[in-house]
Structure formats: structure tokens, C-alpha cells
Amino acid sequence: MVNEPRGNGGPNPRSEGIGSSKGISGCSSPGLDPKRHERLREKMKRRMESGDKWFSLEFFPPRNTQGAGSLISEFDQMGAGGPLFIDVTWRPTGDPGSDKETSSMTIASTAVHYCGLETMLHMTCCCQSQEEITGHLRKAKQLGLKNILALRGDPLGDHWEEEEGGFHYAVDLVKHIRKEFGDYFDICVAGYPAGHPDAESFAADLKYLKEKVLAGADFIITQLFFEADTFFRFLKACSEIGITCPILPGIFPIQGYHSLQQLVKLSKLEVPQRIKDVIEPIKGDDEAICNYGIELAVGLCRELLASGLVPGLHFYTLNRRMATTEVLKRLGMWAEGPRRPLPWAVSAHPKRWEESVRPIFWASRPKSYIYRTQEWDEFPSGRWGSSSSPAFGELKDYHLFYLRSKAPRGQLLKMWGEELTSEESVFDVFVHYLSGEPNQNGCRVTCLPWNDEPLAAETSLMKEELLRANRRGILTINSQPNVNGKPSSDPVVGWGPSGGYVFQKAYLEFFTSRKTVEALLQVLKKYESRVTYHIVDVKGENITNAPELQPNAVTWGIFPGREIIQPTVVDPVSFMFWKTHFTMRGRQASPPCTLTSLASASCVPPSSSPGLVLLGTRLHLSPCAGLRSPTYNDS
């Protein structure tokens, strides 16, 4: 039940399919998507040469930690539409270069590392010395950020105040980046279709823009504007003075009266009278203004795209999804169901570009897995060390992004229940999560303590079987169906380049009672040669028929001109740590309520009681075996 069905983080698989006795699962195959290594400017060039249009999105750092968690969720949801990149603004009053959850640096690096988005970080000259700017740039490079939008920045007061030992103009910042970091960063600069409000003239502003490009800028994003002709005149003027780099128009879908007033005040732009005439009479109705803003933006974008002069569109989102998403859908630019290069979410951090296989256990916690393994040297080579190793990081402060539920406490209580009356009370939570039907409170269960995401599409292939299992106390948390040679273009289970075929072993992971385990072991004796299982409780008591320390590929693909790719495996070493992680997730889930309390209390049941026991049971089955285990994709 995850957006990326199956596993997450890890190493490189090997074409033979089974790792060594030391837990190695290497692979000589190159990454499936060589474009993952492209620089942003190279991606732009390729898209321009193909005639393909793209879009990008701008966000600003939130003011509190709750807003930070919500923004990361927005990244995941808007990233599904296929933006070429996103950018994160630099807020001088918000300690932007710090490690705070709300800083520009943290938000941008999280988008790259954990959300897999090509990300550009704004950098301004405001209130910073050259040394401070250099320090921020070094940190950005260390965090895997590769793109900078170089700006002078807005003054904190009414007038610009020069910083002693700092830069006064964006061109100086561009020169400094190129001098100190060479060609490492792709650099963007700002353009003003109506001229910068502080410039002596439109011609003078164009001259300054050309200086920024000559200093090393790779492309330009414009300030917002309201008329297509304004942009076309600007584009023509840029061409006439020799500016030839890509120029992206900045699009602002009007979403409310006050947000428009604030943005116009900051940008010192004049709203056309025809727009004022529509907005003023409805200024108290934000919904009506938003609908008008969407229509206005769609018309503007269509005119820009029809000209053939615009390679892409850059949207100022104001951290709101609805208006921008609606505009893109109407333009036909929103990529519903984007093609997956691998069956799990890919990080955009350069350190993880070679990563091509992950243990399946982290299917619903890809951000947690990436964070925990960020210091591992082994994963690009397909090796997992001891789960007790200090290299397997503790989550600590990063619970904000990776463990805290997106739903508020009150909603969780309605979904999970406020009173525990029986074990069946817990079963019902899992059943309603799977079925999508409202519970007795009239509330849909959209998440569990172990999974904060919607069901994956492939869950529909086995939904009824899963419901039967959960009603009987087999509480499934992660799974995948048996897939035997489906085209890689399949909308439900497909991944990788076109023209290939994908395969999956049936897989199931669940909680259940000791009594059920005893019965299950009797049944499994009949299938010892065809089913691999791994059963463990919170004390570490372990029952398995799997070879010790030997990874087992559960997803693989065959593609033209390539070796067999095996991106998802079951690894016994990783499983033993996941057991502990899983238990702690149950104990620490917030808020404590029926489901959480039972999960916590049942981890170590009294010996006289068959109660629920935390078990991670995996059934791995070859597609040719003919037996299909009831599974679903959630975690």
C-alpha cells in the first residue's frame, strides 16, 4: 500500500540473482536511467531539442515545523506531476543556511535527497558577507544541491543596505560562484519583463541581465507578468542584445485578493486594469478569485506555448497545490502516472545515483531508509553491513519528515478509534484501510502508524484476498503480487525503459498471533521448496527456512540491450533491523490510540495468552511456482 509498490533503498544487484554468503548482492549493470546523471542545463537542452515542453515549481520555506512537514508532503504530491525541477527561496530572516527544519537549506536538500526532485536553491546577497555566502555554497554542494538561483535579494527594510564585505549585485554573486566553484553549479538568474523597478531604464536593466549571463549564468527565470505581449517584447529585446540562453516565463496563478496585493507590493508590478475590474467586485470571495486566476493563467500559458518561443513554464505556487495543478492539467502538462525508472522512489542526490537495488522492507518508509543509510559506503556496491552498526543512523530529529503522520491527532482518532474493545477492533482498522469504505465513525482510514501513504495501484490486483486475510487477524503491512512477464510499460506494475518485461515474486509481510504462526508452519511444510519464510518476534526469536545472510531477489526486469536488473531484494540482515524499527514505530506512533496501544501492548504478550505478536513474515515465491500468496502493497 505505497505509492512505490515494493522496496526502497539500497545497493546494486547482480545478474545471477543471489548474493554471496556475506550478504553481497552486486550488479555489473549500469543504472537504468542514464539521464539521472544529467545536469539541469543538459536536461533543458535535451527537452528543447526534442520540442518537449516542461514546467518547474517555486516554493518558499515555512515558518514552523508543522509547515515543514506539510511542505515535504506537497513535494511528494506535486513531484508526481513531473516537474523538470523545483526551486526553494532564500529567506534571510529564517536562518536560511542552518540545519533547522524550516531553513531554506534543509528544505532544498530534503527535496533532493528524500523526494527525488531536481532542486534549485535561491541564494541572495542580502545580509551576508562573502565568507558566509561561500560557506553556504560549500554546504549546499555537500548536501548534493547542484543548482543555484543567484539574486541580489529584496531589502529587509524600505531601502537596500549594503553589507560590509558582501555583494551588492547579483552579477557579483554569479562571478563569485564561478570563481570559487568552477562549473559545479548550474546557475540561474532573474529577468524582469517590464524592467527591474530599481533600474534607471528598461535598456539599462537588459544590460545588467546580459552581464549576469556573461558572468556565467546558464538560464533565466522571469519575474511574474500578466500579459503575454510583455514577455514577447522582453524576449525580443534580449535576443537583440545577444542573450541566447533559455528564458523561462514566471507564471503566477492568482489565488486570492490579499496574496495578489502582497505579491504586487513586493514585485512593484502594476496589475492591468482589465484584471482589476474583475477582481475588485469579488475581492471577498477567494474561491471565485482563484477560479478566475486559473482561467487567466491557462489563457496566458496557452498563448505563450503557442508562440513556439517558450521552452517551459515556471510557476510561483505560494506553496499551494490546487491552482497550479489545475492549470497544468488543463494545459495537458501534468504527467498522470509518471513512468518509473525503478520500482521505488529514486533519490536525486549525486551520492545515490548508482543505487539500483533496495531491501523491500522499507517500501512505505523510503525517506527513513535513505536517511538511515546516508553514511553507508556499501550500498552502491550492493552490500548491507550489520544492522547494529553505527553507520545505520538513528532517526533523531528527522522524525519530522519521516515518521510523524500528516494527519492531525483528532483525525487519527476518528480513523483508528478511541476505545479498544477487542482484537477485532484492530482488524477493522486494517480492513477499512484496504477497502476504502468509511468506518463506524463515518471516516475513511487513509493511513496506519506504519504507512502514511495511499494504497499502491497494484493492491487492486489482490484486494479481495487481502481483505479476507485481514478480517481473520493476518494484518498485512507490505506486499506485492505475483507478476510474470508484464510489459515494462504496464500502468500498474511497469517500470524501467520501454520494450522490456518485468517480474515479481509474490511477497507478504504481516502481523499475526503465535497461534496463527503455529498453524502456518504446519501448512508451510508442504511448500518448503517453493516458499521462503522469515518469522520473528520482538524478542528476536527467529524462525526461517531462508539461507543465512543470503539476499533473495523479488523484483527483476529484462530490457533490450541490458543485463537482467534486480532492483528489489529480501535481505535477512536488513530484515532483522527492520523488525526492531518496525516495533519502535508501533510504540512511538503519534498519537497513542487504539491501534497504537494494541500494537505496543501486544509486542510481548503474556505466555498464557495467544495475543498479537509482532511478526514479520515474508513469503517469496517464484512466478513459475503457480502458488499465489494473498498480499497487498502497503507497509
Side-chain angles (χ1 to χ4, degrees), residues 35 38 42-50:
K35 299 182 184 68
E38 281 185 331
E42 293 169 346
K43 293 179 182 178
M44 284 187 181
K45 181 181 178 181
R46 176 170 50 81
R47 298 282 286 269
M48 291 170 66
E49 289 174 347
S50 69

Side-chain angles (χ1 to χ4, degrees), residues 534-552:
H534 202 151
I535 304 170
V536 65
D537 66 12
V538 71
K539 298 177 182 178
E541 296 175 5
N542 187 18
I543 306 171
T544 181
N545 69 342
E548 186 179 2
L549 302 179
Q550 189 166 327
N552 182 356

Side-chain angles (χ1 to χ4, degrees), residues 50-262:
S50 69
D52 192 16
K53 304 299 182 184
W54 74 82
F55 68 92
S56 53
L57 307 168
E58 180 168 296
F59 300 90
F60 60 83
R63 296 188 179 275
N64 55 53
T65 55
Q66 183 177 358
S70 298
L71 182 56
I72 302 308
S73 176
E74 289 291 303
F75 288 166
D76 287 335
Q77 295 184 62
M78 296 202 74
L84 185 67
F85 67 93
I86 70 163
D87 68 286
V88 178
T89 64
W90 188 263
R91 186 157 57 91
T93 57
D95 201 3
S98 73
D99 293 328
K100 293 179 180 177
E101 294 95 334
T102 56
S103 77
S104 302
M105 191 76 74
T106 297
I107 295 296
S109 64
T110 299
V112 169
H113 203 43
Y114 303 106
C115 302
L117 297 172
E118 182 82 52
T119 303
M120 180 165 64
L121 175 66
H122 288 216
M123 187 72 65
T124 74
C125 306
C126 184
C127 302
Q128 298 188 98
S129 66
Q130 293 186 30
E131 291 76 16
E132 288 172 323
I133 289 174
T134 301
H136 291 322
L137 290 166
R138 286 175 179 161
K139 183 174 182 178
K141 181 178 179 180
Q142 180 184 9
L143 292 172
L145 293 161
K146 311 182 296 296
N147 312 296
I148 298 293
L149 175 52
L151 303 163
R152 186 197 72 169
D154 296 321
L156 296 183
D158 294 332
H159 304 285
W160 176 263
E161 294 185 8
E162 296 184 355
E163 180 75 18
E164 185 176 352
F167 300 120
H168 309 314
Y169 302 102
V171 65
D172 300 320
L173 178 55
V174 174
K175 290 177 179 177
H176 179 73
I177 295 172
R178 287 291 179 233
K179 178 184 176 183
E180 296 296 324
F181 296 89
D183 202 39
Y184 174 80
F185 290 107
D186 281 11
I187 301 176
C188 177
V189 292
Y192 299 83
H196 193 286
D198 295 341
E200 311 93 89
S201 65
F202 181 73
D205 189 45
L206 283 178
K207 174 177 172 288
Y208 299 142
L209 178 59
K210 184 175 181 179
E211 288 178 1
K212 289 189 285 188
V213 173
L214 292 175
D218 297 293
F219 62 101
I220 297 165
I221 293 177
T222 76
Q223 177 62 278
L224 65 94
F225 55 91
F226 297 100
E227 307 279 0
D229 286 342
T230 303
F231 180 79
F232 294 145
R233 286 193 296 269
F234 173 70
L235 209 58
K236 181 180 178 182
C238 286
S239 178
E240 288 174 348
I241 66 168
I243 296 176
T244 60
C245 66
I247 301 176
L248 308 184
I251 309 298
F252 171 61
I254 298 171
Q255 302 181 52
Y257 185 78
H258 294 295
S259 63
L260 174 62
Q261 295 294 100
Q262 181 67 14

